[in-house]
Amino acid sequence: MKLKLLASGLLAVGLISSAQADIIIGTGTTNNCYPFGCATGWQPVYQQVYSSAAFGTNDILINELTFYLDPIGGNGGTVPNNATFTISLSTTAAAVGGLSFVASNNLGPNNTVVFTGLLPALSNTGELNLLFSTPFSYDPTAGNLLLNVTSSNGTDGNLYLWAQESSGLMGRLFGNSTDYYGLVTDFGTLTGAVPEPSTWAMMILGFCGLGFLAYRRKNSTTLMARRIHS
C-alpha cells in the first residue's frame, strides 16, 4: 500500500509539471480587422512581434493562440476571412517597432508552422481559438517572439478583433507599413513541460526509495519463509 501511495505521489509530480497556463499580451484599447477579418490591406504577409519581456525568463511550450472579439462592438460582425491560413512562430532578433519591410528578414532560424487551414468560427464568448498542429518551444532569453501570417484563395470576412496601440510590447508589419500596434493575444502554454532539476531530483530520490522498500519487502518475505521451513 505504501509503495502504491508513493508511486502515485511521484506520478502526480509529473502531471503537475505539464499544467496549462495562459500568457495574455495587450489590454485592448481599439480594434482591427488585420489579418483575420479582412482579406486586403495587409497582404502579402502580416507579422506581429512581441517583446520577450512579456514572457518572463523560463522556456515555455506554446500550443494555442486566442484572439478576442472587440467587446464594445467595433466596426463589424463575427465572420473571419474564408481563406487558407498558414501561421508560424519564431524567435526573432527584430525589435518591437523595428521589423524589416522585407518580411523574410524578420523570421528566426527556428521558424515553425503551427497552424494551416481555414479559421474556425468564433466561440460563444467571442474568441478565435487556434489550436496548434505542432507546439512551439520558446526561450524568451533568446529574443522576441514573431507571429507570421499568410493566406491564399480568400474572400473577405467581417471581423474586428481587440487590439492595442503604443503599448511597447507589440509591433507589426502589414503590407508596406510598420507600427507599434497589435492584436491582443492569448498564448496557451504548457508550463513546466520539462521538469525542473529540483523535480527530477525529487523523482529520482522517490524511485530510489521505492526500490529500497521493495528490496526490504522481498528480504522480509524470504526471511519469514526460511523461518517457517526451519
Side-chain angles (χ1 to χ4, degrees):
M1 184 64 171
K2 291 180 179 179
L3 290 176
K4 290 182 179 179
L5 288 174
L6 182 54
S8 298
L10 292 172
L11 179 59
V13 169
L15 292 176
I16 290 171
S17 69
S18 60
Q20 183 80 24
D22 285 12
I23 298 173
I24 301 177
I25 299 181
T27 56
T29 56
T30 183
N31 58 61
N32 202 261
C33 66
Y34 296 162
F36 302 120
C38 45
T40 58
W42 61 271
Q43 298 282 11
V45 62
Y46 176 94
Q47 291 183 333
Q48 189 164 312
V49 61
Y50 305 86
S51 171
S52 61
F55 295 91
T57 57
N58 294 326
D59 291 6
I60 58 175
L61 191 64
I62 304 170
N63 66 343
E64 182 180 7
L65 289 178
T66 299
F67 303 94
Y68 299 95
L69 184 68
D70 175 7
I72 300 174
N75 302 50
T78 60
V79 181
N81 294 346
N82 182 21
T84 299
F85 279 83
T86 299
I87 300 173
S88 64
L89 292 177
S90 65
T91 306
T92 182
V96 172
L99 289 173
S100 168
F101 289 106
V102 181
S104 59
N105 290 345
N106 299 319
L107 298 175
N110 62 343
N111 186 57
T112 303
V113 174
V114 296
F115 177 91
T116 302
L118 298 174
L119 297 176
L122 267 63
S123 70
N124 292 334
T125 53
E127 299 175 356
L128 178 62
N129 298 308
L130 303 178
L131 295 174
F132 289 3
S133 56
T134 304
F136 180 77
S137 179
Y138 174 52
D139 175 7
T141 65
N144 293 329
L145 182 64
L146 183 73
L147 171 72
N148 188 84
V149 181
T150 60
S151 69
S152 60
N153 303 322
T155 57
D156 258 340
N158 184 17
L159 175 63
Y160 281 75
L161 296 170
W162 211 212
Q164 183 173 11
E165 55 186 338
S166 303
S167 69
L169 294 177
M170 297 183 290
R172 65 176 181 170
L173 165 69
F174 59 101
N176 296 314
S177 301
T178 62
D179 59 20
Y180 287 91
Y181 197 101
L183 297 178
V184 174
T185 309
D186 184 334
F187 294 88
T189 69
L190 293 172
T191 59
V194 177
E196 297 290 331
S198 58
T199 303
W200 278 118
M202 184 187 303
M203 294 179 70
I204 290 171
L205 287 173
F207 283 118
C208 287
L210 282 173
F212 179 70
L213 288 175
Y215 173 78
R216 286 192 60 185
R217 176 177 289 183
K218 180 179 179 182
N219 281 358
S220 297
T221 302
T222 302
L223 181 60
M224 184 176 295
R226 286 177 179 173
R227 287 176 177 175
I228 291 174
H229 290 291
S230 61

